[in-house]
Short mmCIF file of all heavy atoms in Angstrom, two decimals:
data_model
loop_
_atom_site.label_atom_id
_atom_site.label_comp_id
_atom_site.label_asym_id
_atom_site.label_seq_id
_atom_site.Cartn_x
_atom_site.Cartn_y
_atom_site.Cartn_z
N MET J 1074 -103.09 -103.40 -172.64
CA MET J 1074 -101.85 -104.00 -173.04
C MET J 1074 -101.73 -104.02 -174.55
O MET J 1074 -100.63 -103.84 -175.06
CB MET J 1074 -101.74 -105.41 -172.47
CG MET J 1074 -101.41 -105.47 -170.98
SD MET J 1074 -99.93 -104.60 -170.44
CE MET J 1074 -98.64 -105.21 -171.46
N LYS J 1075 -102.85 -104.27 -175.22
CA LYS J 1075 -102.78 -104.33 -176.68
C LYS J 1075 -102.25 -103.02 -177.26
O LYS J 1075 -101.40 -103.03 -178.16
CB LYS J 1075 -104.17 -104.64 -177.24
CG LYS J 1075 -104.20 -104.80 -178.75
CD LYS J 1075 -105.59 -105.19 -179.23
CE LYS J 1075 -105.69 -105.43 -180.69
NZ LYS J 1075 -105.05 -104.51 -181.58
N ALA J 1076 -102.73 -101.89 -176.73
CA ALA J 1076 -102.26 -100.59 -177.23
C ALA J 1076 -100.77 -100.40 -176.97
O ALA J 1076 -100.05 -99.84 -177.80
CB ALA J 1076 -103.06 -99.45 -176.59
N VAL J 1077 -100.29 -100.87 -175.83
CA VAL J 1077 -98.85 -100.78 -175.54
C VAL J 1077 -98.08 -101.65 -176.52
O VAL J 1077 -97.09 -101.21 -177.11
CB VAL J 1077 -98.56 -101.21 -174.08
CG1 VAL J 1077 -97.06 -101.35 -173.84
CG2 VAL J 1077 -99.16 -100.23 -173.10
N LEU J 1078 -98.53 -102.87 -176.70
CA LEU J 1078 -97.82 -103.79 -177.58
C LEU J 1078 -97.82 -103.35 -179.03
O LEU J 1078 -96.82 -103.52 -179.75
CB LEU J 1078 -98.41 -105.20 -177.45
CG LEU J 1078 -98.19 -105.87 -176.10
CD1 LEU J 1078 -98.97 -107.16 -176.02
CD2 LEU J 1078 -96.70 -106.12 -175.85
N ASP J 1079 -98.94 -102.76 -179.50
CA ASP J 1079 -98.95 -102.35 -180.91
C ASP J 1079 -98.49 -100.91 -181.13
O ASP J 1079 -98.52 -100.39 -182.24
CB ASP J 1079 -100.32 -102.60 -181.56
CG ASP J 1079 -101.44 -101.72 -181.03
OD1 ASP J 1079 -101.17 -100.66 -180.46
OD2 ASP J 1079 -102.61 -102.11 -181.21
N GLY J 1080 -98.05 -100.25 -180.04
CA GLY J 1080 -97.44 -98.92 -180.18
C GLY J 1080 -98.43 -97.77 -180.30
O GLY J 1080 -98.04 -96.66 -180.66
N THR J 1081 -99.71 -97.99 -179.98
CA THR J 1081 -100.69 -96.92 -180.12
C THR J 1081 -101.07 -96.28 -178.78
O THR J 1081 -101.85 -95.33 -178.75
CB THR J 1081 -101.99 -97.44 -180.78
OG1 THR J 1081 -102.56 -98.47 -179.96
CG2 THR J 1081 -101.70 -97.99 -182.18
N TRP J 1082 -100.51 -96.76 -177.69
CA TRP J 1082 -100.85 -96.23 -176.36
C TRP J 1082 -100.36 -94.80 -176.22
O TRP J 1082 -99.28 -94.43 -176.64
CB TRP J 1082 -100.22 -97.10 -175.28
CG TRP J 1082 -100.55 -96.62 -173.89
CD1 TRP J 1082 -101.72 -96.76 -173.24
CD2 TRP J 1082 -99.67 -95.94 -173.00
NE1 TRP J 1082 -101.65 -96.21 -171.98
CE2 TRP J 1082 -100.38 -95.68 -171.81
CE3 TRP J 1082 -98.35 -95.50 -173.08
CZ2 TRP J 1082 -99.83 -95.03 -170.73
CZ3 TRP J 1082 -97.80 -94.85 -172.00
CH2 TRP J 1082 -98.54 -94.62 -170.83
N LYS J 1083 -101.20 -93.95 -175.63
CA LYS J 1083 -100.85 -92.56 -175.37
C LYS J 1083 -101.03 -92.29 -173.87
O LYS J 1083 -101.94 -92.82 -173.24
CB LYS J 1083 -101.77 -91.62 -176.15
CG LYS J 1083 -101.78 -91.88 -177.65
CD LYS J 1083 -101.25 -90.70 -178.39
CE LYS J 1083 -101.37 -90.84 -179.88
NZ LYS J 1083 -100.42 -91.68 -180.52
N THR J 1084 -100.17 -91.46 -173.32
CA THR J 1084 -100.30 -91.10 -171.91
C THR J 1084 -101.47 -90.13 -171.74
O THR J 1084 -101.91 -89.49 -172.69
CB THR J 1084 -99.02 -90.44 -171.38
OG1 THR J 1084 -98.81 -89.23 -172.10
CG2 THR J 1084 -97.82 -91.35 -171.52
N GLY J 1085 -101.94 -90.03 -170.50
CA GLY J 1085 -103.02 -89.11 -170.21
C GLY J 1085 -103.41 -89.19 -168.75
O GLY J 1085 -103.05 -90.15 -168.06
N ASP J 1086 -104.11 -88.19 -168.29
CA ASP J 1086 -104.59 -88.17 -166.91
C ASP J 1086 -105.94 -88.84 -166.82
O ASP J 1086 -106.79 -88.69 -167.70
CB ASP J 1086 -104.72 -86.73 -166.39
CG ASP J 1086 -103.38 -86.04 -166.26
OD1 ASP J 1086 -102.37 -86.73 -166.03
OD2 ASP J 1086 -103.34 -84.81 -166.38
N THR J 1087 -106.14 -89.56 -165.74
CA THR J 1087 -107.44 -90.16 -165.43
C THR J 1087 -107.85 -89.69 -164.06
O THR J 1087 -107.09 -89.84 -163.09
CB THR J 1087 -107.36 -91.70 -165.46
OG1 THR J 1087 -106.94 -92.11 -166.75
CG2 THR J 1087 -108.69 -92.32 -165.14
N TRP J 1088 -109.03 -89.10 -163.95
CA TRP J 1088 -109.52 -88.58 -162.68
C TRP J 1088 -110.82 -89.27 -162.28
O TRP J 1088 -111.71 -88.66 -161.73
CB TRP J 1088 -109.71 -87.06 -162.78
CG TRP J 1088 -108.41 -86.37 -162.97
CD1 TRP J 1088 -107.87 -85.96 -164.14
CD2 TRP J 1088 -107.44 -86.07 -161.96
NE1 TRP J 1088 -106.64 -85.39 -163.94
CE2 TRP J 1088 -106.35 -85.44 -162.60
CE3 TRP J 1088 -107.39 -86.25 -160.58
CZ2 TRP J 1088 -105.23 -85.01 -161.91
CZ3 TRP J 1088 -106.28 -85.81 -159.90
CH2 TRP J 1088 -105.21 -85.21 -160.56
N ASP J 1089 -110.92 -90.54 -162.61
CA ASP J 1089 -112.12 -91.30 -162.26
C ASP J 1089 -112.16 -91.56 -160.76
O ASP J 1089 -111.14 -91.52 -160.08
CB ASP J 1089 -112.15 -92.63 -163.00
CG ASP J 1089 -112.33 -92.46 -164.50
OD1 ASP J 1089 -112.71 -91.36 -164.93
OD2 ASP J 1089 -112.09 -93.44 -165.23
N GLY J 1090 -113.35 -91.82 -160.26
CA GLY J 1090 -113.51 -92.06 -158.82
C GLY J 1090 -114.65 -93.01 -158.54
O GLY J 1090 -114.87 -93.98 -159.28
N ILE J 1091 -115.42 -92.70 -157.50
CA ILE J 1091 -116.52 -93.56 -157.09
C ILE J 1091 -117.59 -93.63 -158.18
O ILE J 1091 -118.10 -94.70 -158.50
CB ILE J 1091 -117.12 -93.07 -155.75
CG1 ILE J 1091 -116.10 -93.29 -154.62
CG2 ILE J 1091 -118.43 -93.77 -155.44
CD1 ILE J 1091 -116.54 -92.73 -153.27
N LYS J 1092 -117.92 -92.50 -158.76
CA LYS J 1092 -118.98 -92.45 -159.78
C LYS J 1092 -118.69 -93.40 -160.93
O LYS J 1092 -119.58 -94.10 -161.41
CB LYS J 1092 -119.12 -91.02 -160.31
CG LYS J 1092 -120.15 -90.86 -161.40
CD LYS J 1092 -120.22 -89.42 -161.86
CE LYS J 1092 -121.20 -89.23 -162.98
NZ LYS J 1092 -121.25 -87.83 -163.42
N GLU J 1093 -117.45 -93.45 -161.36
CA GLU J 1093 -117.07 -94.27 -162.51
C GLU J 1093 -116.79 -95.73 -162.13
O GLU J 1093 -116.59 -96.57 -163.00
CB GLU J 1093 -115.83 -93.68 -163.19
CG GLU J 1093 -116.06 -92.32 -163.79
CD GLU J 1093 -115.99 -91.19 -162.76
OE1 GLU J 1093 -115.57 -91.41 -161.61
OE2 GLU J 1093 -116.38 -90.07 -163.12
N GLY J 1094 -116.73 -96.01 -160.83
CA GLY J 1094 -116.45 -97.37 -160.39
C GLY J 1094 -114.97 -97.68 -160.26
O GLY J 1094 -114.60 -98.82 -159.96
N THR J 1095 -114.11 -96.68 -160.46
CA THR J 1095 -112.68 -96.90 -160.31
C THR J 1095 -112.31 -97.03 -158.84
O THR J 1095 -111.44 -97.82 -158.47
CB THR J 1095 -111.89 -95.73 -160.95
OG1 THR J 1095 -112.29 -95.63 -162.32
CG2 THR J 1095 -110.40 -95.94 -160.87
N VAL J 1096 -112.97 -96.25 -158.00
CA VAL J 1096 -112.77 -96.31 -156.55
C VAL J 1096 -113.99 -96.98 -155.95
O VAL J 1096 -115.13 -96.56 -156.21
CB VAL J 1096 -112.59 -94.90 -155.95
CG1 VAL J 1096 -112.50 -94.97 -154.43
CG2 VAL J 1096 -111.35 -94.23 -156.54
N VAL J 1097 -113.77 -98.03 -155.19
CA VAL J 1097 -114.87 -98.71 -154.50
C VAL J 1097 -114.48 -98.90 -153.03
O VAL J 1097 -113.29 -98.96 -152.70
CB VAL J 1097 -115.21 -100.08 -155.13
CG1 VAL J 1097 -115.74 -99.92 -156.54
CG2 VAL J 1097 -114.00 -100.99 -155.12
N LEU J 1098 -115.48 -98.97 -152.19
CA LEU J 1098 -115.24 -99.23 -150.77
C LEU J 1098 -115.36 -100.72 -150.51
O LEU J 1098 -116.17 -101.41 -151.14
CB LEU J 1098 -116.25 -98.46 -149.92
CG LEU J 1098 -116.22 -96.94 -150.09
CD1 LEU J 1098 -117.32 -96.29 -149.25
CD2 LEU J 1098 -114.87 -96.38 -149.70
N SER J 1099 -114.57 -101.20 -149.59
CA SER J 1099 -114.63 -102.61 -149.21
C SER J 1099 -115.98 -102.90 -148.57
O SER J 1099 -116.65 -102.00 -148.06
CB SER J 1099 -113.53 -102.94 -148.20
OG SER J 1099 -112.27 -102.77 -148.80
N PRO J 1100 -116.38 -104.16 -148.55
CA PRO J 1100 -117.64 -104.51 -147.88
C PRO J 1100 -117.60 -104.09 -146.41
O PRO J 1100 -116.54 -104.11 -145.77
CB PRO J 1100 -117.71 -106.03 -148.01
CG PRO J 1100 -116.85 -106.35 -149.19
CD PRO J 1100 -115.75 -105.32 -149.18
N TRP J 1101 -118.76 -103.72 -145.89
CA TRP J 1101 -118.85 -103.28 -144.50
C TRP J 1101 -118.66 -104.45 -143.56
O TRP J 1101 -119.11 -105.56 -143.83
CB TRP J 1101 -120.22 -102.64 -144.24
CG TRP J 1101 -120.62 -101.60 -145.23
CD1 TRP J 1101 -121.69 -101.64 -146.07
CD2 TRP J 1101 -119.95 -100.37 -145.50
NE1 TRP J 1101 -121.72 -100.52 -146.85
CE2 TRP J 1101 -120.67 -99.72 -146.52
CE3 TRP J 1101 -118.82 -99.76 -145.00
CZ2 TRP J 1101 -120.29 -98.48 -147.03
CZ3 TRP J 1101 -118.44 -98.53 -145.51
CH2 TRP J 1101 -119.16 -97.91 -146.51
N SER J 1102 -118.01 -104.20 -142.45
CA SER J 1102 -117.88 -105.21 -141.40
C SER J 1102 -119.27 -105.50 -140.83
O SER J 1102 -120.09 -104.61 -140.65
CB SER J 1102 -116.97 -104.68 -140.28
OG SER J 1102 -117.06 -105.52 -139.15
N LYS J 1103 -119.53 -106.74 -140.54
CA LYS J 1103 -120.80 -107.12 -139.93
C LYS J 1103 -120.93 -106.57 -138.52
O LYS J 1103 -122.00 -106.56 -137.94
CB LYS J 1103 -120.96 -108.62 -139.94
CG LYS J 1103 -121.00 -109.18 -141.36
CD LYS J 1103 -121.57 -110.56 -141.41
CE LYS J 1103 -121.54 -111.16 -142.80
NZ LYS J 1103 -122.15 -110.41 -143.84
N LYS J 1104 -119.82 -106.09 -137.95
CA LYS J 1104 -119.84 -105.51 -136.61
C LYS J 1104 -120.33 -104.07 -136.60
O LYS J 1104 -120.62 -103.52 -135.54
CB LYS J 1104 -118.44 -105.58 -135.99
CG LYS J 1104 -117.97 -107.00 -135.75
CD LYS J 1104 -116.58 -107.02 -135.14
CE LYS J 1104 -116.12 -108.44 -134.92
NZ LYS J 1104 -114.80 -108.49 -134.29
N LEU J 1105 -120.41 -103.44 -137.77
CA LEU J 1105 -120.88 -102.05 -137.83
C LEU J 1105 -122.38 -102.00 -137.61
O LEU J 1105 -123.13 -102.77 -138.21
CB LEU J 1105 -120.56 -101.43 -139.18
CG LEU J 1105 -119.12 -101.05 -139.44
CD1 LEU J 1105 -118.95 -100.60 -140.89
CD2 LEU J 1105 -118.68 -99.96 -138.50
N PRO J 1106 -122.83 -101.05 -136.81
CA PRO J 1106 -124.28 -100.88 -136.64
C PRO J 1106 -124.93 -100.43 -137.95
O PRO J 1106 -124.31 -99.75 -138.77
CB PRO J 1106 -124.40 -99.79 -135.58
CG PRO J 1106 -123.06 -99.69 -134.93
CD PRO J 1106 -122.06 -100.17 -135.94
N ASP J 1107 -126.17 -100.80 -138.13
CA ASP J 1107 -126.89 -100.46 -139.36
C ASP J 1107 -126.92 -98.96 -139.62
O ASP J 1107 -126.82 -98.52 -140.77
CB ASP J 1107 -128.32 -101.00 -139.32
CG ASP J 1107 -128.37 -102.52 -139.42
OD1 ASP J 1107 -127.38 -103.12 -139.88
OD2 ASP J 1107 -129.41 -103.10 -139.03
N ASP J 1108 -127.06 -98.14 -138.56
CA ASP J 1108 -127.13 -96.70 -138.77
C ASP J 1108 -125.80 -96.13 -139.27
O ASP J 1108 -125.77 -95.19 -140.06
CB ASP J 1108 -127.60 -95.96 -137.51
CG ASP J 1108 -126.69 -96.17 -136.30
OD1 ASP J 1108 -126.06 -97.24 -136.19
OD2 ASP J 1108 -126.64 -95.25 -135.46
N VAL J 1109 -124.70 -96.74 -138.86
CA VAL J 1109 -123.38 -96.30 -139.33
C VAL J 1109 -123.19 -96.68 -140.80
O VAL J 1109 -122.70 -95.89 -141.60
CB VAL J 1109 -122.25 -96.89 -138.45
CG1 VAL J 1109 -120.88 -96.59 -139.03
CG2 VAL J 1109 -122.38 -96.38 -137.03
N VAL J 1110 -123.62 -97.88 -141.14
CA VAL J 1110 -123.56 -98.32 -142.54
C VAL J 1110 -124.39 -97.38 -143.41
O VAL J 1110 -123.96 -96.96 -144.49
CB VAL J 1110 -124.04 -99.78 -142.69
CG1 VAL J 1110 -124.20 -100.16 -144.16
CG2 VAL J 1110 -123.07 -100.73 -142.00
N LYS J 1111 -125.58 -97.02 -142.94
CA LYS J 1111 -126.46 -96.11 -143.69
C LYS J 1111 -125.78 -94.75 -143.91
O LYS J 1111 -125.81 -94.20 -145.01
CB LYS J 1111 -127.78 -95.95 -142.95
CG LYS J 1111 -128.74 -94.99 -143.58
CD LYS J 1111 -129.34 -95.55 -144.84
CE LYS J 1111 -130.43 -94.61 -145.34
NZ LYS J 1111 -130.61 -94.69 -146.75
N LEU J 1112 -125.14 -94.22 -142.87
CA LEU J 1112 -124.42 -92.95 -143.00
C LEU J 1112 -123.29 -93.05 -144.03
O LEU J 1112 -123.10 -92.16 -144.86
CB LEU J 1112 -123.85 -92.50 -141.66
CG LEU J 1112 -124.85 -91.97 -140.64
CD1 LEU J 1112 -124.16 -91.79 -139.28
CD2 LEU J 1112 -125.43 -90.65 -141.11
N ALA J 1113 -122.54 -94.14 -143.96
CA ALA J 1113 -121.43 -94.34 -144.89
C ALA J 1113 -121.93 -94.47 -146.32
O ALA J 1113 -121.35 -93.91 -147.25
CB ALA J 1113 -120.60 -95.55 -144.48
N GLU J 1114 -123.00 -95.21 -146.50
CA GLU J 1114 -123.56 -95.39 -147.85
C GLU J 1114 -124.13 -94.08 -148.39
O GLU J 1114 -123.99 -93.78 -149.58
CB GLU J 1114 -124.61 -96.49 -147.85
CG GLU J 1114 -123.99 -97.87 -147.65
CD GLU J 1114 -125.01 -98.99 -147.54
OE1 GLU J 1114 -126.21 -98.70 -147.27
OE2 GLU J 1114 -124.60 -100.15 -147.71
N THR J 1115 -124.74 -93.30 -147.53
CA THR J 1115 -125.26 -92.00 -147.94
C THR J 1115 -124.12 -91.08 -148.37
O THR J 1115 -124.21 -90.40 -149.40
CB THR J 1115 -126.07 -91.35 -146.80
OG1 THR J 1115 -127.18 -92.21 -146.50
CG2 THR J 1115 -126.59 -89.98 -147.18
N ALA J 1116 -123.03 -91.09 -147.61
CA ALA J 1116 -121.86 -90.28 -147.96
C ALA J 1116 -121.26 -90.76 -149.28
O ALA J 1116 -120.95 -89.96 -150.18
CB ALA J 1116 -120.82 -90.33 -146.86
N ARG J 1117 -121.10 -92.06 -149.43
CA ARG J 1117 -120.55 -92.63 -150.67
C ARG J 1117 -121.40 -92.24 -151.87
O ARG J 1117 -120.89 -91.80 -152.90
CB ARG J 1117 -120.49 -94.15 -150.55
CG ARG J 1117 -120.00 -94.84 -151.83
CD ARG J 1117 -120.43 -96.29 -151.92
NE ARG J 1117 -121.87 -96.41 -151.85
CZ ARG J 1117 -122.51 -97.47 -151.38
NH1 ARG J 1117 -121.83 -98.51 -150.94
NH2 ARG J 1117 -123.83 -97.51 -151.36
N ASP J 1118 -122.72 -92.37 -151.73
CA ASP J 1118 -123.61 -92.04 -152.84
C ASP J 1118 -123.58 -90.54 -153.15
O ASP J 1118 -123.63 -90.15 -154.32
CB ASP J 1118 -125.04 -92.49 -152.52
CG ASP J 1118 -125.16 -94.01 -152.40
OD1 ASP J 1118 -124.23 -94.73 -152.82
OD2 ASP J 1118 -126.19 -94.47 -151.86
N GLY J 1119 -123.45 -89.72 -152.11
CA GLY J 1119 -123.35 -88.28 -152.32
C GLY J 1119 -122.07 -87.89 -153.03
O GLY J 1119 -122.07 -86.98 -153.87
N ILE J 1120 -121.00 -88.56 -152.70
CA ILE J 1120 -119.73 -88.30 -153.40
C ILE J 1120 -119.88 -88.68 -154.87
O ILE J 1120 -119.45 -87.94 -155.76
CB ILE J 1120 -118.57 -89.07 -152.74
CG1 ILE J 1120 -118.29 -88.51 -151.34
CG2 ILE J 1120 -117.31 -89.02 -153.61
CD1 ILE J 1120 -117.38 -89.38 -150.49
N ALA J 1121 -120.52 -89.81 -155.14
CA ALA J 1121 -120.70 -90.27 -156.52
C ALA J 1121 -121.55 -89.30 -157.34
O ALA J 1121 -121.26 -89.07 -158.52
CB ALA J 1121 -121.33 -91.66 -156.53
N THR J 1122 -122.57 -88.71 -156.72
CA THR J 1122 -123.45 -87.79 -157.46
C THR J 1122 -122.94 -86.36 -157.46
O THR J 1122 -123.47 -85.52 -158.18
CB THR J 1122 -124.87 -87.80 -156.88
OG1 THR J 1122 -124.83 -87.34 -155.53
CG2 THR J 1122 -125.50 -89.18 -156.97
N GLY J 1123 -121.93 -86.08 -156.62
CA GLY J 1123 -121.38 -84.73 -156.56
C GLY J 1123 -122.06 -83.82 -155.56
O GLY J 1123 -121.77 -82.63 -155.51
N THR J 1124 -122.97 -84.36 -154.74
CA THR J 1124 -123.64 -83.54 -153.73
C THR J 1124 -122.85 -83.47 -152.43
O THR J 1124 -123.12 -82.61 -151.59
CB THR J 1124 -125.06 -84.06 -153.44
OG1 THR J 1124 -124.98 -85.41 -152.99
CG2 THR J 1124 -125.93 -83.98 -154.69
N VAL J 1125 -121.91 -84.38 -152.24
CA VAL J 1125 -121.01 -84.36 -151.08
C VAL J 1125 -119.60 -84.15 -151.59
O VAL J 1125 -119.16 -84.83 -152.52
CB VAL J 1125 -121.10 -85.68 -150.27
CG1 VAL J 1125 -120.05 -85.72 -149.18
CG2 VAL J 1125 -122.50 -85.85 -149.69
N HIS J 1126 -118.90 -83.20 -151.00
CA HIS J 1126 -117.53 -82.87 -151.39
C HIS J 1126 -116.62 -83.15 -150.19
O HIS J 1126 -116.49 -82.30 -149.30
CB HIS J 1126 -117.44 -81.41 -151.84
CG HIS J 1126 -118.41 -81.12 -152.94
ND1 HIS J 1126 -118.17 -81.46 -154.25
CD2 HIS J 1126 -119.65 -80.57 -152.92
CE1 HIS J 1126 -119.21 -81.12 -154.99
NE2 HIS J 1126 -120.11 -80.59 -154.21
N PRO J 1127 -116.00 -84.32 -150.13
CA PRO J 1127 -115.29 -84.75 -148.93
C PRO J 1127 -114.05 -83.94 -148.58
O PRO J 1127 -113.59 -83.97 -147.46
CB PRO J 1127 -114.91 -86.20 -149.22
CG PRO J 1127 -114.88 -86.28 -150.71
CD PRO J 1127 -115.93 -85.32 -151.19
N PHE J 1128 -113.53 -83.18 -149.52
CA PHE J 1128 -112.31 -82.42 -149.24
C PHE J 1128 -112.57 -80.93 -149.09
O PHE J 1128 -111.69 -80.10 -149.27
CB PHE J 1128 -111.26 -82.68 -150.33
CG PHE J 1128 -110.89 -84.14 -150.41
CD1 PHE J 1128 -111.28 -84.91 -151.48
CD2 PHE J 1128 -110.17 -84.73 -149.38
CE1 PHE J 1128 -110.94 -86.25 -151.55
CE2 PHE J 1128 -109.84 -86.07 -149.43
CZ PHE J 1128 -110.23 -86.83 -150.52
N THR J 1129 -113.79 -80.58 -148.72
CA THR J 1129 -114.17 -79.20 -148.49
C THR J 1129 -113.92 -78.84 -147.03
O THR J 1129 -114.24 -79.62 -146.14
CB THR J 1129 -115.66 -79.00 -148.82
OG1 THR J 1129 -115.86 -79.35 -150.18
CG2 THR J 1129 -116.09 -77.57 -148.61
N GLY J 1130 -113.34 -77.65 -146.80
CA GLY J 1130 -113.01 -77.20 -145.45
C GLY J 1130 -114.22 -76.85 -144.64
O GLY J 1130 -115.32 -77.24 -144.97
N PRO J 1131 -114.04 -76.14 -143.57
CA PRO J 1131 -112.81 -75.44 -143.26
C PRO J 1131 -111.78 -76.35 -142.59
O PRO J 1131 -112.13 -77.29 -141.89
CB PRO J 1131 -113.25 -74.35 -142.29
CG PRO J 1131 -114.40 -74.96 -141.56
CD PRO J 1131 -115.10 -75.82 -142.59
N ILE J 1132 -110.53 -76.04 -142.84
CA ILE J 1132 -109.44 -76.71 -142.15
C ILE J 1132 -109.16 -75.88 -140.90
O ILE J 1132 -108.90 -74.69 -140.98
CB ILE J 1132 -108.19 -76.81 -143.03
CG1 ILE J 1132 -108.51 -77.66 -144.26
CG2 ILE J 1132 -107.01 -77.37 -142.24
CD1 ILE J 1132 -107.42 -77.66 -145.31
N THR J 1133 -109.24 -76.51 -139.74
CA THR J 1133 -109.06 -75.77 -138.49
C THR J 1133 -107.72 -76.05 -137.84
O THR J 1133 -107.33 -75.34 -136.91
CB THR J 1133 -110.18 -76.12 -137.49
OG1 THR J 1133 -110.17 -77.54 -137.27
CG2 THR J 1133 -111.54 -75.72 -138.05
N SER J 1134 -107.02 -77.07 -138.31
CA SER J 1134 -105.70 -77.38 -137.75
C SER J 1134 -104.94 -78.23 -138.74
O SER J 1134 -105.54 -79.08 -139.41
CB SER J 1134 -105.84 -78.14 -136.43
OG SER J 1134 -104.57 -78.59 -136.00
N ARG J 1135 -103.67 -78.04 -138.83
CA ARG J 1135 -102.87 -78.89 -139.70
C ARG J 1135 -102.18 -80.01 -138.94
O ARG J 1135 -101.48 -80.82 -139.52
CB ARG J 1135 -101.85 -78.07 -140.50
CG ARG J 1135 -100.79 -77.44 -139.66
CD ARG J 1135 -99.89 -76.57 -140.54
NE ARG J 1135 -98.83 -76.00 -139.75
CZ ARG J 1135 -97.59 -76.45 -139.71
NH1 ARG J 1135 -97.24 -77.47 -140.46
NH2 ARG J 1135 -96.69 -75.88 -138.93
N THR J 1136 -102.38 -80.03 -137.62
CA THR J 1136 -101.69 -81.04 -136.81
C THR J 1136 -102.61 -81.96 -136.02
O THR J 1136 -102.17 -82.98 -135.54
CB THR J 1136 -100.75 -80.34 -135.79
OG1 THR J 1136 -101.53 -79.48 -134.96
CG2 THR J 1136 -99.67 -79.53 -136.50
N ALA J 1137 -103.88 -81.61 -135.88
CA ALA J 1137 -104.76 -82.45 -135.07
C ALA J 1137 -106.10 -82.62 -135.75
O ALA J 1137 -106.57 -81.74 -136.46
CB ALA J 1137 -104.96 -81.81 -133.69
N ALA J 1138 -106.71 -83.76 -135.52
CA ALA J 1138 -108.04 -84.01 -136.05
C ALA J 1138 -109.06 -83.16 -135.31
O ALA J 1138 -108.89 -82.87 -134.12
CB ALA J 1138 -108.39 -85.49 -135.91
N PRO J 1139 -110.11 -82.72 -136.00
CA PRO J 1139 -111.13 -81.92 -135.32
C PRO J 1139 -111.83 -82.74 -134.25
O PRO J 1139 -111.90 -83.94 -134.32
CB PRO J 1139 -112.11 -81.55 -136.45
CG PRO J 1139 -111.76 -82.38 -137.62
CD PRO J 1139 -110.40 -82.96 -137.40
N GLY J 1140 -112.32 -82.04 -133.27
CA GLY J 1140 -113.11 -82.79 -132.35
C GLY J 1140 -112.98 -82.50 -130.94
O GLY J 1140 -113.51 -83.00 -130.07
#
């Protein structure tokens, strides 16, 4: 706000995510089994380190979920 008020603010793109702490996941439900929580935490940590790429294909359908 200070930069806006004093006229020094500049526009720009921000592409921060899990690694930077801009994106966080809500606390896990206590109803989730421990193994599911472990899988989710492993995926989250992999996304943060760049070893997991959640938007990588292949895309097999544009209308239905895989499965």
Side-chain angles (χ1 to χ4, degrees):
M1074 284 305 307
K1075 183 177 183 315
V1077 170
L1078 293 172
D1079 68 21
T1081 61
W1082 181 75
K1083 304 244 186 282
T1084 63
D1086 292 332
T1087 300
W1088 295 97
D1089 293 345
I1091 292 175
K1092 178 180 178 180
E1093 296 81 11
T1095 303
V1096 175
V1097 295
L1098 300 177
S1099 296
W1101 310 118
S1102 168
K1103 297 198 184 305
K1104 295 180 181 182
L1105 285 174
D1107 290 340
D1108 60 330
V1109 173
V1110 170
K1111 177 72 173 153
L1112 286 170
E1114 289 176 342
T1115 299
R1117 177 202 57 208
D1118 295 346
I1120 293 168
T1122 62
T1124 59
V1125 173
H1126 305 280
F1128 300 109
T1129 301
I1132 298 172
T1133 57
S1134 172
R1135 67 184 182 101
T1136 59

